[in-house]
Structure formats: C-alpha cells, structure tokens
Amino acid sequence: MAGSLAAAPLPINRLAEPLLRKLSDSLDRAAPGKGWRDLAQLAGSQGGVRLSSLELEQCSLQVLEPEGSPSRSLLQLMGERGCTVQELTELLQTLEHSEAFQCLSPPSIKIVVEPESQAVLSGQMVKLSCWAAGYPLLHYQWFKGGKMVPHGNSPELVLNQVNADDAGFYICRVNSDSSYEFSRWAQLDVCDIQGACHGSCLEVPEKKIHICIHPQSQNLIVGEILVLQCGAIGIPMPQYQWYRNGSPLTNGDKKVYMVSCVDTEHQGTYWCRVYNDQDNQESKKVKVIIGGKSIAVECTEEDLSGLGRPELKEQSTERQFAVDKVALLMGNMSYCHHPKLKAPLVDVYDLTNLLRQLDFKVVSLLDLTEPEMRNAVDEFLLLLDKGVYGLLYYAGHGYENYGNSFMVPIDAPNPYRATNCLCVQNILKLMQEKDTGLNVFLLDMCRKRNEYDNTVLILDALKVTANIVFGYATCQGAEAFEIQQSGLANGIFMKFLKERLLEDKKITVLLDGVAEDMGKCHLTKGKQALEIRSSLSEKRALTDPIQQTVTSVESLARNLQWAKAHELPESMCLQFKCGVQIQLGFAAEFSNVMIVYTRIVKKPEEIAVCKAYVTDFPLDLDVDPKEANKGTPEETGSYLLSKDLPKHCLYTRISSLQKLKEDLTFMVCLHYEYEGVDDVVDERKVVNIGKPLIAKLRIHQGYRKSRCFQSCCGPTGPCFTQSPGAGAAGYCPCHHSHQPHSYAGIPQPSPASSASVLQPAKCHCSMIPNSLIAWQSKWPYPSDSNRSNIPVETTDELESDFSGSLRLSQQ
C-alpha cells in the first residue's frame, strides 16, 4: 500500500478487518488521555458524532467478552454515524496518538542511499548499498534482473570474488508492513581479463577509473573487420567514447568499436576516452592501417605458358583417396532449461549407419553437457591426421552470431551465451591444424540471432587448404524443423540427406542435390532451405576409398581410440544354485546408449515359475526403473534396435554411459517357485561388465584439455563482449505472463540504463507430435511496452502429407 488511507473518503466500517483490529488494539492499550473514551469525547465535541451514556456503557461492557474490544465497538458506532477515515485521522492526530495514527497513515519510505553502477575485475569483492528511511520496521530484498538474490536481505549486498555470471542489473526493494519502494537499477560489469593488469588494478582508489584493456594497433586490408576494445573498471560505471584522428566517432559509445567492412577512409589513429562524473582517462593511441587487396600473383612466363591450352582445362579424373575416415555425431534432445527435441535420436542413428557403410569410424553420442561436448570433440580431434576425412554432425539447439555458429549443450542456462556453448568455427580451425584431407560440418540446428549474447569472436583466419564443406540445415537467421514419421521424428535436413548420402559424388554436388530436394518440399518452402559453404577445389567424396600404404603409428592410435569407444561387454551365461541359467547380452544403440537383454535359457523341471530381471544400476546413469526389464525394446524407449535384438527377452536401456565414473556393476535377480510350493525363492548375482562403449574415454570429467572451443574474454583471447552482464535474469518459458514493464512487480531498467541489454532470442527446433512447428520467440527489449516478457510458442500448421509417408495431422 503506497500513500495514505486518510485521503480516501470512506466510512470507518469500510476499513479492512485486520486494520480495524490493529487500530482497536492500539486504542485499548493506550495511555490515559489517549484511549477510546477520550476519542469518543473528542468525537462528540469536534467531530459531530455524539454517543449517549448508554452506548458508551455498552462499549465498556465488551471487556467481559472473551475477544471483546471497547474500541472496536466504538469505531463501529462511529462508522454507523458516518464518521470517515479522514475525520478519524484528524481526531487521532489531535489526541497525539501516534501509533494509531500510523495505522491509518503509514509513512512513506524514502531511499536515502541508492546503489551505484560499477565495473570491477573478476575476483574482486563488490558491495552494493541501499539505505532507506521509514517506519516502523524496514525489510530489504535484492533482485538480479527478475530473480531474487539468495540471502540478499540486508541494506548492503556483498558479492565475494565476483565472476562473469554475477554481471547484470541489480535492484533493491524496501518494504514495511504496508508499503514498499524500489531503488534505482545498478549495473554490475565484471571484466574477466585473466591477469592483464598484473594485480595492480585490484586496488583502484574509490571514484577513480583504471583502464585494464587497451586497444591494439591493426594492419588490415580493405573488406576485413575492424574491432577495437577498451575495458575499464571504476565506480560509478565508466562510459566510453571512441575517437579517430581527434574526432569523436558516431556510435562509438561502447566498450567495443567495430567496423564490419573497412575501407581506406577508416585508416587513422584511434583511442578511447573513458569517463564518469568523478574521473576521466584516455586509452593508448593506436594506429589502424588499411591496405588495398593485392590481386597479383607472382609467376614466370613458363608458369603462364600452358594456362590457355584446352587439354589442361579438363579436370583430372584420378580418384581421390582418404588416409582414414572418422566422424563424430552429437545429438542433444533432453535439455534441462529449454524445450526438448525428438529428431536428434533418429537423425544420429540413421547417419551413423550410413557413414559406417562408407567405412567411417563413427562415434555417436546423445545428450551431452558442456564439458562432455568439449571432451568428446577433443577425443575426435585425436583421431584426425594428415589426409584423414573428418566429419562432424550436430543436431540440437543452436544459434549464429556475427557469422559464428554455436552448439548448445543440454545443461546450458536460460538464456545462454557463447561461454556456455561450443563455437563451430574454432573447432574447424583445430581440425585444419591436423592437415586433414576433408573437413565436413553438418549442422542441423537453428541459426537465429541470440540477442542476449553480444560476444564478438576474433578468430585467426582459416588456412587456405581448400578442404572445407559446411552443410547448414537452414539459412542464416532461420529455424530448422522436425517432422514425425510413425511415432519417431526426423529432421527435414536428415530426411533428404540420408536418401543421397551413399551416392558416389563430390560432396558439394551431393549437398546441392539435397538442397534441390528440400526446395521442392512444399511443407518447408519459404521456411527452411539448405545452405552450403565450401572451399573445396578437389573432387572429394564421402565414398572415396581408404588407402594406406603403410600402417602408421597414427593409424594404429586412431583404430585403438575408435575401438575403445565401441567395445561392448561379451555375452555371458549366469549359473544359479537352483540350476537356472540366464543369458545376459548387450547391444549398442549409440556410443553412449546400451541395451541389456536377459532371457532364461535353462530351467529345471521342478521349478514351476521363474523370472529374472536386472536392477541396482549406478546412480550416474540414466536408467528409469519404470522402463527397465520390459518385454519389448520400444517399452524401454529404444525404437531403433527392435529388429536387431533377439526375441523373447527382457530389455533395459542404459543411457548416459559417458557419465560412468567406475566399472558398471549391477544386480541380476532371479525369482522362482518350486512345483507345489507357494513360497517364492530369491537368488541374486552381482555382475561387473567394466566400462562399456564411450565410458572408457572418461569424457564425463571436467574439461581437461588445453583446447578452447568458445570465447575467452581476455585481452589475449579470441573474443570480447560488448555488453557483459546484460540485465534480466534467466526467464523460464514456463513462467506465467506478467505486465510488460515489470517482472513479479519489479520495474524493468529504463531505456537509458538498459540500452545495451538485450533479451534472449530463443532458438527452438522442436516438434510437437503430429505437427510441424516453428517456435517463435517473443523476447522484447526492456523498453517495449507493447510486448510480453514471456516467450510465446506458436504452431505453424502445414496442411499436407509428405509423399504419403510422413503424416502431419491438421489441428
């Protein structure tokens, strides 16, 4: 309640019962001269509300009732006489009964110390302060964006050893029993520069600015990208202004100044002025030199002599060979904080079988966390060598910013940034360092812009090796779709790719055919189209044979590494004391998903009923007891191996084998009854099958290699962020809708304070059964009052079937 009840022209008996009870209790306990009788006398002499002696006596008799109150009876009589809250307030003020007066006219809360925006270094201690004046008792609660800060219930919010995750907008709510006020928003910018200041800027004097990251001189050619960065810490929050040759630059008021395509006019001396209302500093002045593109190639007359001959224009028909072929397939479906997907299950399975027909060594993995994805990629890189064909396929959530593609792990927060994801271009660079014969990236994910992530990656140029092929399932800025077939989901891209993958054609020609097929699909016309990027000048195909003249050490290492990821336990026969024999078998659905099947192969005649099942699997693994020991593989969630598994067994599906820390140990239980005996007898055996499949590579461990597949926010790293610590907290799509400018009553940052804060544009590729869906994001800028803060899922209904085989129901 803000403001005063006294201003409301309403009779006393219209007040809320809790307030009347509190007011009556205050009058009943009042000191002489300020009690209910004094109020009645004053009301008769000044307020025109006269009460008889009999009425006053009736009020006094209320003390004889168990919960009676003379003051409550008096207030009821005064209300029936037409006494208003305004008149009662004036009477209480005349009586100088401050406690009762405060019940009707709570004091306003005044924020006397507002929190200040500040920029600090990672690892520092930060203190945000909010002090208020008011009565009777003030309570404080801090919020980061729209999310309550745990233990943030004091005037000072202390954050020890802050990191990039602590960056954002903070606000404090101060409330008493019946009113509240919010402080202004304070932005916290955390610079993670990994020791660039050598510790000297950890003790910056208060109200001073210290520039920790200075721009670097650059020598560019026309058409390249210019990116200059300046990073500073200070209180209040530093502001930035870039200059070239002494003149301020338009749109040069951010930490990062960028020109996407430079020309000679951008050459000059650059620096940045960093300032707040207490201090002013200038960065180092740096030179930016822009040279023209060289289009000349040095050669001799002999080199030119044969270029025009028709016989030399004909391409060689000599067959290309691969030293080896390896592939890593990753499909993410079971996201923790984002919509779950279906198609990666089938797409990864189909592609695995096709690539194995082409002699690829395939590692196929489902549902990986960020460290698991990074470690899986690192293991994949170990399989690459000179002349090897490397193929990486990813299906799941993803996005594309500034020409760089990012794959989203299943544990990525909502919203996610580059630091939570894997950058495809960085992985490609590491693949090229292996001098591979062919690098193929197939990305079956959305490529919409992630507005919440403003990270700019500065990557070293890829080698000019003419061996790169990108197959994007959709165009830049567009979504990718799934489509259901017989209870299973296929991605549109994989639906057409698997029909051509075995063709003996140059990989770019093969993908062109897939693009043409997709273009004819009326279901996704105008919604999804394959995009191919290639620097391939040789006629290389996925069908190229493997040719090795000598078995190298590298080849032996690749084969060993591949074998480790595909080693299944041997089938075993368990002999129980009662004479029952149980066969225990194993099948791989993916490199991290295994099916265990059991069946009774021998039973003595004296045993009437006999049943065996497996149980007690390690908690690390994903085994649902309700879906274990089923009569069909489909009941366990395995729809892909039915035709390859033996019949008349009990099946159990074990997922997430990459999380296995120790040997896989479980229990085999046998229940049986002898003929003519009602008692059930139990026997148990513990089985240890070691580390099956991908578990041997131990990719569950924290990221342990020296590789870096995403941005490193430091002066020597490949990226920097234009607006670290952008404002709103991770809104979950399952939240209910709120008012456009508030989240749970919390005011949103004003346009001035949140100009660099962008809400997350979600990237969804999800398929609801029997319908083709494009998930539309509705994340607004904070200042957009005509749009909701909560994303809305919309369905694109496509009224058609798909060549008679893929049925889409109409809703």
Side-chain angles (χ1 to χ4, degrees), residues 584 595-599 611-617 623-633 635-636 649-654 666-669:
L584 201 60
I595 306 297
V596 179
Y597 53 90
T598 60
R599 66 178 172 184
K611 181 180 180 182
Y613 63 92
V614 293
T615 185
D616 294 345
F617 289 94
V623 182
D624 186 348
K626 296 180 180 179
E627 296 181 354
N629 301 291
K630 295 297 183 181
T632 64
E635 292 178 88
T636 70
C649 298
L650 292 181
Y651 307 92
T652 301
R653 187 174 190 259
I654 304 176
F666 58 91
M667 188 81 69
V668 179
C669 300

Side-chain angles (χ1 to χ4, degrees), residues 39-103:
L39 177 60
Q41 184 179 356
L42 189 61
S45 61
Q46 293 186 9
V49 180
R50 297 185 181 277
L51 298 174
S52 66
S53 301
L54 180 59
E55 289 173 324
L56 292 176
E57 184 180 354
Q58 290 176 345
C59 291
S60 65
L61 291 176
Q62 292 296 315
V63 297
L64 301 177
E65 300 294 332
E67 296 182 0
S69 168
S71 300
R72 180 68 180 86
S73 181
L74 172 65
L75 292 175
Q76 182 176 351
L77 291 172
M78 291 175 65
E80 292 171 355
R81 300 286 201 283
C83 183
T84 65
V85 174
Q86 174 67 39
E87 292 168 343
L88 177 60
T89 303
E90 293 173 356
L91 293 172
L92 293 172
Q93 195 169 12
T94 303
L95 280 178
E96 298 182 355
H97 196 314
S98 59
E99 182 180 350
F101 176 79
Q102 291 293 345
C103 292

Side-chain angles (χ1 to χ4, degrees), residues 665-696:
T665 303
F666 58 91
M667 188 81 69
V668 179
C669 300
L670 176 66
H671 294 342
Y672 57 93
E673 297 179 17
Y674 285 103
E675 194 76 43
V677 180
D678 294 335
D679 293 337
V680 178
V681 184
D682 292 340
E683 282 192 50
R684 296 169 178 261
K685 281 186 179 292
V686 176
V687 176
N688 186 331
I689 60 172
K691 292 185 175 66
L693 301 175
I694 198 68
K696 289 186 174 63

Side-chain angles (χ1 to χ4, degrees), residues 342-343 347 481-486 488-493 495 521 523-524 765-768 770-773 798 800-802 806-808:
K342 286 192 173 183
D347 291 348
F481 292 87
E482 298 179 354
I483 194 165
Q484 190 182 39
Q485 179 182 19
S486 303
L488 296 174
N490 244 141
I492 288 289
F493 173 47
K495 160 63 186 171
C521 174
L523 293 175
T524 54
C765 327
S766 183
M767 176 68 198
I768 287 181
N770 300 326
S771 60
L772 186 62
I773 295 177
L798 304 180
S800 175
D801 63 7
F802 192 83
L806 300 184
R807 296 186 298 278
L808 303 179

Side-chain angles (χ1 to χ4, degrees), residues 173-187:
R173 184 186 67 201
V174 186
N175 65 280
S176 63
D177 291 343
S178 54
S179 63
Y180 65 86
E181 288 292 336
F182 279 98
S183 71
R184 68 188 177 199
W185 285 95
Q187 184 180 2

